[in-house]
Short mmCIF file of all heavy atoms in Angstrom, two decimals:
data_model
loop_
_atom_site.label_atom_id
_atom_site.label_comp_id
_atom_site.label_asym_id
_atom_site.label_seq_id
_atom_site.Cartn_x
_atom_site.Cartn_y
_atom_site.Cartn_z
N PHE A 284 -102.23 -8.28 2.76
CA PHE A 284 -103.56 -8.81 3.04
C PHE A 284 -103.56 -9.44 4.43
O PHE A 284 -103.66 -10.65 4.59
CB PHE A 284 -103.99 -9.82 1.97
CG PHE A 284 -104.21 -9.19 0.63
CD1 PHE A 284 -103.90 -9.87 -0.53
CD2 PHE A 284 -104.76 -7.92 0.51
CE1 PHE A 284 -104.11 -9.30 -1.78
CE2 PHE A 284 -104.98 -7.34 -0.73
CZ PHE A 284 -104.65 -8.04 -1.88
N ARG A 285 -103.45 -8.61 5.44
CA ARG A 285 -103.43 -9.05 6.83
C ARG A 285 -104.32 -8.10 7.62
O ARG A 285 -104.64 -7.01 7.15
CB ARG A 285 -102.00 -9.03 7.38
CG ARG A 285 -101.36 -7.68 7.46
CD ARG A 285 -99.87 -7.76 7.83
NE ARG A 285 -99.33 -6.47 8.20
CZ ARG A 285 -98.89 -5.55 7.35
NH1 ARG A 285 -98.95 -5.79 6.05
NH2 ARG A 285 -98.41 -4.41 7.77
N PRO A 286 -104.75 -8.48 8.83
CA PRO A 286 -105.69 -7.63 9.58
C PRO A 286 -105.17 -6.21 9.77
O PRO A 286 -103.99 -5.98 10.03
CB PRO A 286 -105.81 -8.36 10.92
CG PRO A 286 -105.55 -9.79 10.58
CD PRO A 286 -104.49 -9.75 9.51
N VAL A 287 -106.08 -5.25 9.60
CA VAL A 287 -105.72 -3.85 9.81
C VAL A 287 -105.89 -3.51 11.29
O VAL A 287 -106.55 -4.23 12.04
CB VAL A 287 -106.59 -2.91 8.96
CG1 VAL A 287 -106.47 -3.26 7.48
CG2 VAL A 287 -108.06 -2.97 9.41
N ARG A 288 -105.29 -2.41 11.69
CA ARG A 288 -105.41 -1.98 13.08
C ARG A 288 -106.80 -1.41 13.34
O ARG A 288 -107.39 -0.75 12.50
CB ARG A 288 -104.34 -0.93 13.39
CG ARG A 288 -102.92 -1.47 13.38
CD ARG A 288 -101.90 -0.37 13.55
NE ARG A 288 -101.93 0.53 12.40
CZ ARG A 288 -101.10 1.56 12.25
NH1 ARG A 288 -100.19 1.82 13.20
NH2 ARG A 288 -101.17 2.33 11.19
N ALA A 289 -107.31 -1.66 14.53
CA ALA A 289 -108.63 -1.15 14.90
C ALA A 289 -108.57 0.36 15.09
O ALA A 289 -107.52 0.93 15.36
CB ALA A 289 -109.11 -1.83 16.18
N GLY A 290 -109.73 1.01 14.97
CA GLY A 290 -109.81 2.44 15.23
C GLY A 290 -110.01 3.25 13.97
O GLY A 290 -110.81 4.19 13.96
N ASN A 291 -109.27 2.95 12.91
CA ASN A 291 -109.41 3.64 11.64
C ASN A 291 -109.50 2.61 10.52
O ASN A 291 -108.71 2.64 9.57
CB ASN A 291 -108.22 4.58 11.40
CG ASN A 291 -108.12 5.67 12.44
OD1 ASN A 291 -108.98 6.53 12.53
ND2 ASN A 291 -107.06 5.63 13.22
N SER A 292 -110.46 1.72 10.65
CA SER A 292 -110.50 0.57 9.75
C SER A 292 -110.70 0.97 8.30
O SER A 292 -110.11 0.38 7.39
CB SER A 292 -111.58 -0.42 10.18
OG SER A 292 -112.86 0.21 10.19
N PHE A 293 -111.53 1.98 8.04
CA PHE A 293 -111.75 2.40 6.66
C PHE A 293 -110.46 2.97 6.07
O PHE A 293 -110.02 2.55 4.98
CB PHE A 293 -112.86 3.45 6.58
CG PHE A 293 -112.92 4.16 5.26
CD1 PHE A 293 -113.40 3.51 4.13
CD2 PHE A 293 -112.48 5.47 5.13
CE1 PHE A 293 -113.44 4.15 2.90
CE2 PHE A 293 -112.52 6.12 3.91
CZ PHE A 293 -113.00 5.46 2.79
N GLU A 294 -109.83 3.90 6.77
CA GLU A 294 -108.60 4.52 6.27
C GLU A 294 -107.49 3.49 6.09
O GLU A 294 -106.74 3.51 5.11
CB GLU A 294 -108.14 5.63 7.22
CG GLU A 294 -109.04 6.86 7.25
CD GLU A 294 -110.25 6.70 8.14
OE1 GLU A 294 -110.40 5.62 8.77
OE2 GLU A 294 -111.07 7.63 8.22
N GLU A 295 -107.37 2.57 7.05
CA GLU A 295 -106.35 1.53 6.97
C GLU A 295 -106.60 0.60 5.78
O GLU A 295 -105.66 0.18 5.09
CB GLU A 295 -106.32 0.72 8.26
CG GLU A 295 -105.74 1.46 9.45
CD GLU A 295 -104.24 1.25 9.59
OE1 GLU A 295 -103.70 0.37 8.89
OE2 GLU A 295 -103.62 1.96 10.39
N THR A 296 -107.87 0.29 5.53
CA THR A 296 -108.20 -0.59 4.41
C THR A 296 -107.89 0.09 3.08
O THR A 296 -107.32 -0.52 2.17
CB THR A 296 -109.68 -1.00 4.47
OG1 THR A 296 -109.94 -1.69 5.70
CG2 THR A 296 -110.04 -1.92 3.31
N VAL A 297 -108.25 1.36 2.96
CA VAL A 297 -107.91 2.12 1.75
C VAL A 297 -106.40 2.13 1.55
O VAL A 297 -105.89 1.87 0.45
CB VAL A 297 -108.45 3.56 1.84
CG1 VAL A 297 -107.90 4.41 0.70
CG2 VAL A 297 -109.98 3.57 1.80
N ALA A 298 -105.67 2.45 2.63
CA ALA A 298 -104.21 2.55 2.53
C ALA A 298 -103.59 1.21 2.15
O ALA A 298 -102.66 1.15 1.33
CB ALA A 298 -103.63 3.05 3.85
N ARG A 299 -104.10 0.12 2.71
CA ARG A 299 -103.53 -1.20 2.43
C ARG A 299 -103.80 -1.62 0.97
O ARG A 299 -102.90 -2.14 0.30
CB ARG A 299 -104.12 -2.23 3.39
CG ARG A 299 -103.36 -3.53 3.47
CD ARG A 299 -102.02 -3.39 4.19
NE ARG A 299 -102.17 -2.95 5.55
CZ ARG A 299 -102.58 -3.73 6.57
NH1 ARG A 299 -102.90 -4.98 6.34
NH2 ARG A 299 -102.67 -3.25 7.78
N LEU A 300 -105.01 -1.37 0.49
CA LEU A 300 -105.31 -1.69 -0.91
C LEU A 300 -104.48 -0.83 -1.85
O LEU A 300 -103.96 -1.31 -2.86
CB LEU A 300 -106.80 -1.50 -1.18
CG LEU A 300 -107.74 -2.52 -0.55
CD1 LEU A 300 -109.19 -2.09 -0.73
CD2 LEU A 300 -107.52 -3.91 -1.15
N LEU A 301 -104.35 0.45 -1.51
CA LEU A 301 -103.55 1.34 -2.34
C LEU A 301 -102.09 0.91 -2.35
O LEU A 301 -101.43 0.91 -3.39
CB LEU A 301 -103.67 2.77 -1.80
CG LEU A 301 -102.91 3.85 -2.56
CD1 LEU A 301 -103.40 3.94 -4.00
CD2 LEU A 301 -103.08 5.20 -1.86
N GLN A 302 -101.58 0.50 -1.21
CA GLN A 302 -100.21 0.02 -1.11
C GLN A 302 -100.02 -1.23 -1.98
O GLN A 302 -99.02 -1.37 -2.68
CB GLN A 302 -99.87 -0.28 0.35
CG GLN A 302 -98.40 -0.50 0.64
CD GLN A 302 -98.16 -0.77 2.11
OE1 GLN A 302 -99.02 -1.32 2.81
NE2 GLN A 302 -96.99 -0.41 2.60
N THR A 303 -100.98 -2.12 -1.95
CA THR A 303 -100.92 -3.33 -2.76
C THR A 303 -100.81 -2.99 -4.25
O THR A 303 -100.04 -3.61 -4.99
CB THR A 303 -102.19 -4.17 -2.52
OG1 THR A 303 -102.28 -4.52 -1.15
CG2 THR A 303 -102.18 -5.44 -3.37
N ILE A 304 -101.57 -1.98 -4.67
CA ILE A 304 -101.55 -1.58 -6.08
C ILE A 304 -100.26 -0.84 -6.42
O ILE A 304 -99.60 -1.14 -7.42
CB ILE A 304 -102.78 -0.69 -6.38
CG1 ILE A 304 -104.07 -1.51 -6.22
CG2 ILE A 304 -102.70 -0.10 -7.78
CD1 ILE A 304 -105.34 -0.68 -6.18
N ARG A 305 -99.87 0.11 -5.59
CA ARG A 305 -98.69 0.93 -5.87
C ARG A 305 -97.41 0.09 -5.89
O ARG A 305 -96.48 0.37 -6.66
CB ARG A 305 -98.55 2.02 -4.81
CG ARG A 305 -99.50 3.20 -4.99
CD ARG A 305 -99.15 3.98 -6.21
NE ARG A 305 -99.74 5.32 -6.20
CZ ARG A 305 -99.99 6.02 -7.28
NH1 ARG A 305 -99.74 5.51 -8.47
NH2 ARG A 305 -100.50 7.23 -7.21
N LEU A 306 -97.34 -0.94 -5.05
CA LEU A 306 -96.14 -1.77 -4.99
C LEU A 306 -96.15 -2.88 -6.04
O LEU A 306 -95.22 -3.67 -6.11
CB LEU A 306 -95.98 -2.39 -3.60
CG LEU A 306 -95.69 -1.40 -2.47
CD1 LEU A 306 -95.55 -2.13 -1.14
CD2 LEU A 306 -94.44 -0.57 -2.74
N GLY A 307 -97.20 -2.93 -6.84
CA GLY A 307 -97.23 -3.88 -7.94
C GLY A 307 -97.58 -5.30 -7.56
O GLY A 307 -97.39 -6.22 -8.35
N LEU A 308 -98.11 -5.51 -6.36
CA LEU A 308 -98.43 -6.87 -5.94
C LEU A 308 -99.69 -7.38 -6.63
O LEU A 308 -99.87 -8.59 -6.77
CB LEU A 308 -98.59 -6.93 -4.41
CG LEU A 308 -97.35 -6.47 -3.64
CD1 LEU A 308 -97.57 -6.65 -2.15
CD2 LEU A 308 -96.12 -7.24 -4.09
#
């Protein structure tokens, strides 16, 4: 839960949320 990189904010947000779920956090 930290700032995503600019440029692909939607894709980065999806990936970060998915990572949070997949890693069990």
Side-chain angles (χ1 to χ4, degrees):
F284 292 145
R285 64 188 193 277
V287 303
R288 292 174 295 183
N291 297 295
S292 58
F293 167 73
E294 291 81 1
E295 288 269 349
T296 300
V297 171
R299 196 72 61 77
L300 289 172
L301 181 61
Q302 193 179 29
T303 300
I304 295 167
R305 283 292 198 205
L306 294 180
L308 302 184

